[in-house]
Amino acid sequence: MIKNKQITFKKFLFISIISIVLIVYVYNILTSSIMEVVGNKIFSNIAHQYSADYIFDEDLSENENKIKKLDGWILILNNDLSLSYISDDNAPKVYSFDDIVNLNKGKYKYKDRTYFASMKNIKKNGINKYGVVVIPTKYISNRVFVTPSMQDSGLIFLFFTLKVILFILGTFIIVLIFSKVLHRKLYNPLSELEMGFKKLKKEDYSFSLRKQEYNNISEFDFIQNEFNSTVKSLREFQKERLENEKRRIQLFIDIRHDLKTPITVIKGFSEALINGRIPIESSKKYLESIDKNASNIDTLLNELSEIIEYEDYSYSLNLEKIDFCEFTRNAIIDFLPIFEQNEMNVIINIPYEKLYVKIDKNIFSRVFKNLMKNIIDHNEKYITVYFSIENCFEKVKLIIGDSGNKINEKLAKNIFEPFVTNDTSRNTSNKNRGLGLSIAKKIVEKHNGKIFLNQNNTELYNKSFIIELNKLN
């Protein structure tokens, strides 16, 4: 008679829990995946019949009534956005570029109603045009279904992957809880340490070893403290790296946004001029607009080049020993005519003692220019501008304040980030693209200094930018 192989209660309990968890999670994943696939298929097929992909592949006349019943309409636009065809005479007949963008976002308003549009490139008589189906947004529950061409198996795979991650995470938590109950003195701290090293290998620093209060072994306590200290340092490094990566991605997005409009204008006007759609007597103003937008692009690229240049660790400064008080006075004098032109009162409180710092005066002049330009661009007339220098032991502190309105707190938190501006519309005709303060910060930090915004009220100013530099003896 063959006896069954014996196992300990702890092992049996461990295997049983894992088996139950696996069965429950596998069942949950399979059923959820099937429901998602079936539901996605059903709703996609229904909604597809109201999309531009479907409408313009079928008999257009048969689909017009179907769209009209939803208080929508069908239209065909030329490449220059002029109207080629519209199914409803009561619908708008003129569409700007902003209207097309708002339709795509589901924010187009007409007669107090909001509309969403699906679009498709079509050919009429060999010419590329845009077929557009406009439907009130109240009928749209999921835009992915309205435009089925945007969805693919990746969506299903994404949901499946999330289920797997939740399964693994839930299983791990359950196993960890029971391991804590069943194992105390040695196994628990060692298993946590093993888990920690595995996470470190995967560059996962979102954890720390728990304090084993019932474990009185001093070596474990020492190892745990040292390990947690290392993880904390790695976590902070990873956080900084991720934030830098996020800022870099956002910078590229903002660059694309700020370049898109002037490039579109230049391209549209130049094509119109080339194709002779603009009368000769009107061509000058279009050429001037092309020149203006090209200049805006050039300015933006130059400012971005500065930001990248100052982020380069190999970039070297031509440092000189400079009397910072005299340097600041000269910078203010250069800007006084502009302050007077804007009817701004200027108060200067700079001591006549010599306070020396080591700076590249040519580059640091850019800091003054950007900060003073910021005061001019973002304040009304008749305010008071305040300049002060303080001798703070090992530091020299420059205060540039004004009596204008305070900066919105949400904006103030990221005021030195690129493309942060109070122009919420991101109007590219506005020259204030939010790069000036970012450049100023990078220059100050390149000089091992600090710059920050202070919005505490004083008798002379409501907000101020403060620069601190290392003082030379």
Side-chain angles (χ1 to χ4, degrees):
M1 182 177 179
I2 301 176
K3 293 183 179 180
N4 293 330
K5 185 178 180 181
Q6 293 182 335
I7 60 173
T8 63
F9 173 76
K10 290 185 290 186
K11 188 173 182 180
F12 169 80
L13 184 61
F14 183 83
I15 294 174
S16 298
I17 293 171
I18 291 295
S19 300
I20 293 172
V21 171
L22 283 173
I23 293 171
V24 171
Y25 272 85
V26 168
Y27 172 79
N28 184 50
I29 291 172
L30 289 175
T31 54
S32 297
S33 299
I34 292 171
M35 289 178 64
E36 287 171 359
V37 172
V38 173
N40 188 41
K41 182 69 174 177
I42 293 172
F43 288 113
S44 179
N45 288 337
I46 295 173
H48 180 58
Q49 297 178 16
Y50 295 90
S51 69
D53 289 338
Y54 179 88
I55 297 293
F56 289 98
D57 282 343
E58 302 293 329
D59 187 347
L60 190 61
S61 60
E62 293 181 2
N63 288 295
E64 286 182 357
N65 289 331
K66 180 170 62 176
I67 300 301
K68 191 173 182 179
K69 287 179 181 179
L70 299 180
D71 296 328
W73 62 88
I74 298 172
L75 56 95
I76 299 175
L77 297 175
N78 299 314
N79 278 334
D80 60 356
L81 302 185
S82 61
L83 189 64
S84 175
Y85 168 80
I86 190 163
S87 64
D88 189 345
D89 291 336
N90 295 322
K93 298 179 177 57
V94 177
Y95 298 88
S96 65
F97 179 79
D98 288 338
D99 291 335
I100 299 303
V101 172
N102 287 331
L103 278 169
N104 191 46
K105 292 180 179 178
K107 296 181 178 180
Y108 178 77
K109 289 191 175 182
Y110 177 65
K111 292 185 177 180
D112 298 325
R113 300 183 71 176
T114 307
Y115 292 85
F116 172 81
S118 58
M119 304 182 188
K120 181 179 181 180
N121 286 329
I122 61 175
K123 278 195 174 183
K124 297 281 287 187
N125 300 324
I127 300 174
N128 286 325
K129 297 190 178 186
Y130 301 104
V132 186
V133 178
V134 183
I135 297 175
T137 53
K138 69 178 183 179
Y139 297 117
I140 307 299
S141 61
N142 190 332
R143 291 179 194 169
V144 173
F145 295 146
V146 172
T147 54
S149 60
M150 295 173 59
Q151 58 179 326
D152 52 26
S153 59
L155 183 64
I156 300 172
F157 178 76
L158 174 62
F159 284 122
F160 181 81
T161 303
L162 289 175
K163 292 290 185 182
V164 172
I165 292 173
L166 289 174
F167 157 68
I168 296 173
L169 183 61
T171 304
F172 175 77
I173 292 173
I174 293 173
V175 172
L176 189 61
I177 291 173
F178 278 89
S179 296
K180 180 180 178 180
V181 174
L182 299 174
H183 305 285
R184 297 176 67 93
K185 284 284 186 181
L186 297 177
Y187 180 82
N188 204 31
L190 287 175
S191 64
E192 283 205 354
L193 190 61
E194 180 184 7
M195 175 198 68
F197 281 114
K198 287 181 178 179
K199 288 196 171 186
L200 287 181
K201 187 177 180 180
K202 296 178 180 178
E203 297 186 356
D204 180 4
Y205 312 123
S206 59
F207 72 99
S208 59
L209 298 183
R210 295 169 298 174
K211 184 70 176 177
Q212 307 292 329
E213 296 180 357
Y214 49 79
N215 196 320
N216 57 1
I217 301 175
S218 60
E219 288 80 1
F220 279 131
D221 189 55
F222 174 79
I223 292 171
Q224 183 189 55
N225 291 336
E226 290 298 311
F227 187 89
N228 285 341
S229 177
T230 302
V231 172
K232 183 180 178 181
S233 299
L234 291 171
R235 187 189 303 133
E236 291 173 354
F237 175 78
Q238 184 192 50
K239 182 180 178 181
E240 182 180 355
R241 185 184 66 184
L242 292 175
E243 287 177 352
N244 288 336
E245 184 66 23
K246 184 178 178 181
R247 283 194 294 267
R248 189 175 292 110
I249 292 172
Q250 186 60 46
L251 179 62
F252 285 123
I253 293 172
D254 291 333
I255 291 170
R256 179 182 178 274
H257 180 282
D258 277 42
L259 287 177
K260 187 173 183 179
T261 299
I263 288 174
T264 301
V265 171
I266 292 172
K267 184 179 179 182
F269 286 174
S270 60
E271 286 180 354
L273 288 167
I274 292 170
N275 295 330
R277 294 199 302 268
I278 297 173
I280 296 176
E281 59 271 15
S282 302
S283 61
K284 182 179 179 181
K285 68 177 182 180
Y286 288 92
L287 289 171
E288 288 174 348
S289 179
I290 291 173
D291 180 69
K292 178 183 176 182
N293 281 277
S295 297
N296 287 342
I297 292 174
D298 184 59
T299 301
L300 175 62
L301 292 177
N302 286 336
E303 290 177 337
L304 289 170
S305 176
E306 281 190 79
I307 291 176
I308 296 171
E309 188 176 30
Y310 298 138
E311 283 184 341
D312 186 359
Y313 291 105
S314 64
Y315 181 83
S316 59
L317 300 171
N318 184 22
L319 299 175
E320 302 177 59
K321 184 178 180 180
I322 301 291
D323 177 5
F324 195 62
C325 294
E326 183 65 22
F327 179 75
T328 303
R329 276 192 288 267
N330 291 332
I332 296 171
I333 290 171
D334 291 339
F335 246 81
L336 281 178
I338 302 178
F339 288 132
E340 291 176 0
Q341 183 180 352
N342 287 270
E343 302 179 63
M344 294 180 176
N345 182 38
V346 179
I347 297 177
I348 302 174
N349 183 22
I350 298 177
Y352 284 96
E353 64 176 313
K354 294 185 181 296
L355 299 176
Y356 290 102
V357 295
K358 219 169 187 181
I359 61 173
D360 186 324
K361 61 182 182 180
N362 292 326
I363 292 176
F364 210 89
S365 296
R366 176 75 155 143
V367 176
F368 284 97
K369 178 183 176 182
N370 289 0
L371 290 175
M372 294 184 193
K373 187 176 182 299
N374 183 75
I375 293 173
I376 299 294
D377 291 342
H378 298 285
N379 288 289
E380 302 293 334
K381 292 184 177 182
Y382 312 116
I383 67 164
T384 297
V385 185
Y386 178 79
F387 296 92
S388 174
I389 290 181
E390 297 177 4
N391 185 357
C392 301
F393 191 49
E394 295 182 347
K395 303 285 184 181
V396 175
K397 181 189 291 186
L398 169 64
I399 301 173
I400 302 178
D402 66 69
S403 60
N405 294 329
K406 291 186 177 182
I407 300 171
N408 177 279
E409 285 300 324
K410 185 177 180 181
L411 181 67
K413 290 180 181 179
N414 303 301
I415 193 68
F416 293 104
E417 294 297 324
F419 295 101
V420 172
T421 173
N422 58 5
D423 180 11
T424 54
S425 66
R426 295 294 304 279
N427 184 0
T428 52
S429 64
N430 188 348
K431 294 182 180 180
N432 302 313
R433 300 185 184 88
L435 294 176
L437 292 180
S438 178
I439 292 172
K441 181 174 186 289
K442 293 187 183 302
I443 292 175
V444 172
E445 290 178 345
K446 202 73 179 175
H447 287 80
N448 297 319
K450 291 196 306 182
I451 180 172
F452 53 91
L453 172 65
N454 186 348
Q455 299 208 90
N456 295 328
N457 288 344
T458 70
E459 294 180 359
L460 296 172
Y461 53 87
N462 294 328
K463 63 180 181 292
S464 62
F465 287 96
I466 299 174
I467 297 175
E468 292 182 354
L469 294 174
N470 296 323
K471 184 177 69 174
L472 295 179
N473 295 326

